[in-house]
Amino acid sequence: MKSILPIFASLLWLTTSLSAQPPTSVPLGNAAPGRAGPIATVPANCDGDALLRRVLAAVNAQVSISAKVRHRVDLLGGPLTGTGIYLQRGRGTEPMLRLELKFQTAGPASSLQQVCDGTILWIYQLVDGNASLSRVDMARLRRARPKSQPAAAAVQPSLALGGLPGLLAGIEGAFHFGTVTESRLDDELRVWTIEGLWKPARLIALLPDQKGAIEAGQPADLTRLAPNLPDRVVLHVGCDDLFPYRVEYWRAAPVDKEAKTKDRGKLLLVMELYEVQLGVPLDPRSFAFQPGSLQPIDRTPAFLNKLGLEDAVPEGANGRLPPRR
């Protein structure tokens, strides 16, 4: 259990590739009656990339989002499920955020909490009864510049940093989406389902030893990806409001030539948003965090590294030349 929460958080950083998969049996609740948002129509010739751009624009336009969350992780030998809440106040990729996830375990309580007031991101984890607290300086991240020698697989903005807009922007930057299909979640909610595959540049960053083959247009050997990484991602967005109600991260099963039916693979992680309310007033106090006596760890350098960034001016320097003697 000690490694589940970091892996879960890292998966939410990722913007993964997908393969066509219909909704599974994990239920998804409908949005709350009276939610904001115009009726959206998708032209017959609209592809997945174009639809995702419309979804991102629709989410960016919301002044607030309030939703309950269901999640399921299956990475280390057994599934782990739980529930939580997601709150977002403010438009764009720098909103105020609150994400709370509780994991159902047989042992002591385990949970993950991320709260951002636009200035500081607080990350509180409770694993097997042991608490830890981290902080990330958002202003420092915004001042940062790309590394002169960027990390091989630097990631894009995440749910932790940019909320749903940031997560969707990262997905758009990392994956290519094809056909749009219509399906239903929970047998009631009409959704557009899109599937995306890694864009070549991102795949090369993850599989540098296959660079030549990928650049030549040959299929990559996705079995060489790290075992906790997905090889595809599936999005289900509301037909009437273009809201992303469900995000799935999949890993293909090994090819079995003797199998009579195709194995759908393993669902590494699914995150569902339900009882969604858009544009409702949210109390600013929901985005304030009181660290109490727990000493926080500064994870800003780690986040800079994940984003492929470095400080524009070294810490402690004022950017001025030393005086002449």
Side-chain angles (χ1 to χ4, degrees), residues 23-98:
T24 65
S25 58
V26 181
L28 174 69
N30 290 330
R35 65 182 183 272
I39 299 299
T41 58
V42 178
N45 61 350
C46 180
D47 64 13
D49 287 332
L51 178 59
L52 181 54
R53 288 192 293 270
R54 294 181 61 178
V55 170
L56 182 55
V59 172
N60 273 328
Q62 299 299 331
V63 296
S64 71
I65 298 173
S66 173
K68 293 183 179 179
V69 180
R70 273 193 289 262
H71 54 89
R72 182 179 184 273
V73 187
D74 191 357
L75 293 172
L76 301 176
L80 187 67
T81 62
T83 58
I85 63 169
Y86 174 79
L87 301 177
Q88 174 183 315
R89 187 172 186 260
R91 290 188 172 98
T93 57
E94 297 179 1
M96 300 170 71
L97 301 168
R98 187 179 193 93

Side-chain angles (χ1 to χ4, degrees), residues 71-130:
H71 54 89
R72 182 179 184 273
V73 187
D74 191 357
L75 293 172
L76 301 176
L80 187 67
T81 62
T83 58
I85 63 169
Y86 174 79
L87 301 177
Q88 174 183 315
R89 187 172 186 260
R91 290 188 172 98
T93 57
E94 297 179 1
M96 300 170 71
L97 301 168
R98 187 179 193 93
L99 174 68
E100 295 182 5
L101 302 174
K102 295 181 179 180
F103 294 84
Q104 298 174 359
T105 64
S110 296
S111 62
L112 173 67
Q113 186 179 104
Q114 298 176 336
V115 180
C116 181
D117 62 1
T119 302
I120 299 294
L121 167 65
W122 297 95
I123 304 172
Y124 174 82
Q125 294 186 76
L126 182 63
V127 182
D128 294 335
N130 298 314

Side-chain angles (χ1 to χ4, degrees), residues 122-232:
W122 297 95
I123 304 172
Y124 174 82
Q125 294 186 76
L126 182 63
V127 182
D128 294 335
N130 298 314
S132 65
L133 180 64
S134 304
R135 69 188 299 275
V136 179
D137 186 338
M138 300 299 293
R140 186 175 162 193
L141 291 187
R142 294 177 189 127
R143 291 194 305 267
R145 64 187 180 189
K147 288 182 177 180
S148 53
Q149 294 183 342
V155 299
Q156 298 297 318
S158 71
L159 189 66
L161 296 181
L164 281 176
L167 182 65
L168 293 171
I171 289 175
E172 182 190 27
F175 296 92
H176 167 65
F177 291 81
T179 305
V180 179
T181 61
E182 183 178 342
S183 56
R184 290 184 181 270
L185 293 177
D186 202 21
D187 296 326
E188 295 182 6
L189 182 63
R190 291 178 59 243
V191 294
W192 301 112
T193 297
I194 55 175
E195 308 163 353
L197 299 174
W198 288 106
K199 290 183 177 179
R202 301 306 295 276
L203 206 50
I204 289 172
L206 294 171
L207 300 171
D209 58 327
Q210 300 183 46
K211 181 176 184 292
I214 295 171
E215 289 180 338
Q218 300 176 12
D221 181 5
L222 299 181
T223 64
R224 302 293 298 277
L225 288 170
N228 64 322
L229 294 183
D231 60 13
R232 62 195 189 271

Side-chain angles (χ1 to χ4, degrees), residues 13-14 153-157 202 305-308:
W13 272 91
L14 290 174
V155 299
Q156 298 297 318
R202 301 306 295 276
N305 185 60
K306 282 185 177 182
L307 291 166

Side-chain angles (χ1 to χ4, degrees), residues 21-27 185 236 246 248 250 264 267 270 272:
Q21 301 292 347
T24 65
S25 58
V26 181
L185 293 177
H236 305 283
R246 180 176 173 122
E248 302 172 358
W250 287 85
R264 295 175 60 196
L267 182 59
V270 57
E272 303 172 306

